[in-house]
Amino acid sequence: MPKITTQQLRKRTQESAAGATIKPKTIGSPYDKSKQQKAAGGSSGAEGSRHFGPMFNKDLGQHILINPLVSQSIVDKARLKQTDTVLEVGPGTGNLTIKILEQAKRVIACEADARLAAELTKRVQGGPHQHKLEILHGDVMKRDLPFFDVCISNTPYQISSPLTFKLLFHRPTFRCAVLMFQREFALRLVARPGDSLYNRLSVNCQLYSKVSLVMNVGKNNFKPPPNVESSVVKIEPLDPPPPIDFEEWDGMLRIVFSRRNKTLAASFKSTATMQMLESNYKTFCASNELMMDEGFDIKQKVLGVLEKLDFAETRASKMDIDDFLKLLAAFHDANIHFC
């Protein structure tokens, strides 16, 4: 075989390259839904190529509400005024936001995902409502809430409970909140004594607000569809709020709802509960320079309070807020505290 010089090899390579067509490698974009649908065997028509913005992260509770009729119904339930400032938590791509902007003076949208915040900014840019929108990027649970009149939210389900109480404890008191939740959570908020879902969450929420079920929303109204059905509730905070020490109140409820279908006497008899109450009783007496009764027995003192109110054989699942308020007041009169 004859030897090929370096110059001859370079010349042959150049000639081959000149006659070849090199196709650049195509990298798929997460924003290109039409290609993803085609690859998955989806429609290649107008609906299949429709742009839906960034891929959604289910771990962040991103389920975008895509039904405009549902969006409009949620906004209508808030009964917005033209002077209102609206706080929206989790605006996503702005399907709800656009409808709120049409009726409110100002919208403050809290969005944790920078991609979705950019999508929303792009959507309103150059439009008639651009000046009304302020986007706060970050975790709403890690920031102080601004002033607002109404809150509207397609709530990420993993922050349902902390967001609800962050709103209820917000001051100054707002007019109302219209919030989308997982259906079971929503039903717990509105449950009444005797209902199967009535629990500590129900009592705490209803202590600070009037809460009502607005509508049920099927999973097919979202993209991507969640694994559970959803419901919308309307929360109207009591103004002024009840003058209750929430730590004391919630401490008592934790005990009575630890076994919601047991009697109160049974719920309070656990060793850990009695030890905690005895420690709190001694601390309270020492702090207030009170003499402890000779032969003091915390168990007898607690049962005495329950029997005096005729609550010893009562179950927490059957008690209303007035019952719990009476119970807490009676415990405090006996110098029994829960935190």
Side-chain angles (χ1 to χ4, degrees):
M1 177 180 289
K3 293 184 177 180
I4 301 176
T5 64
T6 303
Q7 290 180 345
Q8 290 173 327
L9 180 61
R10 184 181 296 116
K11 183 177 180 180
R12 290 184 183 182
T13 303
Q14 291 172 347
E15 290 174 349
S16 299
T21 301
I22 301 175
K23 295 182 179 179
K25 184 178 180 182
T26 301
I27 300 176
S29 167
Y31 295 83
D32 192 344
K33 295 294 180 181
S34 61
K35 291 184 179 179
Q36 290 180 14
Q37 287 181 338
K38 187 175 181 180
S43 170
S44 59
E47 185 64 24
S49 62
R50 185 178 173 186
H51 176 74
F52 281 105
M55 293 181 69
F56 304 121
N57 187 343
K58 286 189 177 183
D59 292 338
L60 294 178
Q62 292 175 355
H63 299 281
I64 306 302
L65 182 61
I66 60 174
N67 187 330
L69 296 179
V70 174
S71 298
Q72 188 61 57
S73 295
I74 291 173
V75 175
D76 290 344
K77 294 297 182 182
R79 299 183 180 276
L80 296 179
K81 303 175 183 177
Q82 293 183 347
T83 56
D84 281 341
T85 294
V86 178
L87 173 70
E88 185 184 9
V89 178
T93 55
N95 294 341
L96 260 174
T97 315
I98 296 301
K99 295 187 180 299
I100 300 170
L101 286 168
E102 293 171 354
Q103 298 187 30
K105 178 181 179 180
R106 182 172 177 235
V107 176
I108 304 171
C110 294
E111 177 55 61
D113 191 327
R115 301 171 308 150
L116 295 184
E119 284 285 313
L120 179 55
T121 300
K122 188 189 308 180
R123 185 167 181 177
V124 301
Q125 200 166 33
H129 304 305
Q130 179 181 351
H131 67 285
K132 292 184 178 182
L133 178 64
E134 177 184 354
I135 299 177
L136 301 180
H137 176 229
D139 187 345
V140 68
M141 299 309 303
K142 295 180 180 179
R143 66 162 64 242
D144 292 332
L145 298 180
F147 169 84
F148 62 94
D149 300 293
V150 174
C151 178
I152 298 177
S153 174
N154 175 19
T155 313
Y157 292 160
Q158 65 268 36
I159 66 167
S160 295
S161 184
L163 176 63
T164 298
F165 287 98
K166 188 178 182 75
L167 292 173
L168 288 175
F169 295 146
H170 177 70
R171 300 292 180 270
T173 304
F174 54 94
R175 190 167 74 250
C176 74
V178 181
L179 310 172
M180 178 91 73
F181 290 129
Q182 179 179 338
R183 183 163 301 168
E184 183 176 336
F185 182 86
L187 293 177
R188 289 186 186 279
L189 290 181
V190 302
R192 297 293 185 257
D195 293 348
S196 61
L197 293 176
Y198 185 67
N199 65 356
R200 183 168 63 97
L201 174 67
S202 316
V203 177
N204 279 336
C205 185
Q206 293 169 34
L207 173 69
Y208 287 99
S209 69
K210 174 187 175 184
V211 56
S212 56
L213 187 67
V214 171
M215 70 175 82
N216 293 324
V217 182
K219 61 180 71 174
N220 292 331
N221 292 287
F222 300 88
K223 181 178 181 67
N227 295 325
V228 295
E229 303 292 344
S230 304
S231 294
V232 178
V233 300
K234 184 174 185 179
I235 295 175
E236 299 171 88
L238 300 181
D239 189 15
I244 298 294
D245 182 333
F246 182 75
E247 297 299 325
E248 281 285 315
W249 168 266
D250 192 51
M252 182 187 73
L253 291 188
R254 285 179 184 274
I255 295 172
V256 300
F257 277 104
S258 61
R259 295 183 289 178
R260 59 185 295 275
N261 289 316
K262 298 290 185 180
T263 64
L264 294 193
S267 296
F268 276 96
K269 281 181 180 177
S270 75
T271 302
T273 297
M274 286 300 176
Q275 288 177 344
M276 181 269 290
L277 294 178
E278 182 174 9
S279 175
N280 289 349
Y281 182 86
K282 291 178 178 178
T283 301
F284 180 83
C285 289
S287 300
N288 291 274
E289 300 181 350
L290 300 175
M291 294 293 294
M292 290 182 59
D293 299 333
E294 193 168 336
F296 167 76
D297 185 339
I298 187 62
K299 183 176 180 179
Q300 293 302 317
K301 199 168 187 67
V302 169
L303 292 178
V305 171
L306 297 177
E307 290 169 356
K308 183 178 180 180
L309 294 176
D310 200 23
F311 281 165
E313 299 302 314
T314 303
R315 290 163 171 75
S317 59
K318 308 296 183 183
M319 298 172 66
D320 60 20
I321 288 178
D322 287 340
D323 292 332
F324 290 121
L325 288 170
K326 291 176 186 176
L327 183 60
L328 182 63
F331 275 128
H332 284 175
D333 288 343
N335 297 331
I336 297 173
H337 292 267
F338 297 90
C339 68

